[in-house]
Amino acid sequence: MSKDDLLRNQINQVIRSEIQSGINDYVDEQEVVEKAGLGFVGKEDEKELKVKIPTSEVDKIMKEYKKIKKKEKSNFSRIKKLGLVDKHGRPLK
């Protein structure tokens, strides 16, 4: 499996996790509403939730991630992490 495939799988897992969290919150809210008896009636046919995430959006995320990682590996980024100062005691930018 290539690095791109691994990265794509990680992104998909994060997206699924966020979606699942949203679903769990929604279900919890619905249970509270049902227990309170506020009179809301839901359709029994709408029990399945389908989410489609365009691969173009995942590709954008991957591209941005790679750009950030490339900057982190640059020499300027490494110098900044070292906290070096110039001859006047000012931090290097």
Side-chain angles (χ1 to χ4, degrees):
M1 194 177 274
S2 71
K3 288 184 179 182
D4 284 352
D5 291 337
L6 290 174
L7 182 57
R8 184 178 303 278
N9 286 339
Q10 289 174 343
I11 291 170
N12 283 333
Q13 288 174 358
V14 168
I15 291 170
R16 283 188 188 110
S17 170
E18 288 298 316
I19 291 171
Q20 187 62 50
S21 176
I23 291 170
N24 291 345
D25 291 344
Y26 175 79
V27 169
D28 290 343
E29 289 174 11
Q30 292 303 310
E31 288 176 356
V32 169
V33 169
E34 287 176 10
K35 287 180 183 178
L38 296 176
F40 293 106
V41 178
K43 294 182 181 177
E44 293 297 320
D45 299 338
E46 297 180 4
K47 289 190 175 191
E48 187 174 321
L49 176 66
K50 295 182 181 180
V51 178
K52 293 183 181 179
I53 301 167
T55 56
S56 62
E57 292 300 317
V58 175
D59 290 340
K60 286 179 188 176
I61 293 170
M62 287 176 58
K63 185 176 179 180
E64 185 65 26
Y65 176 81
K66 287 179 181 181
K67 185 190 289 185
I68 290 169
K69 285 299 181 182
K70 187 175 182 179
K71 284 182 182 178
E72 286 179 356
K73 292 180 182 179
S74 73
N75 289 335
F76 289 117
S77 176
R78 291 182 182 167
I79 289 170
K80 202 171 189 179
K81 287 179 185 175
L82 291 174
L84 299 177
V85 294
D86 64 8
K87 64 181 178 180
H88 302 291
R90 294 181 295 233
L92 295 174
K93 295 181 183 182

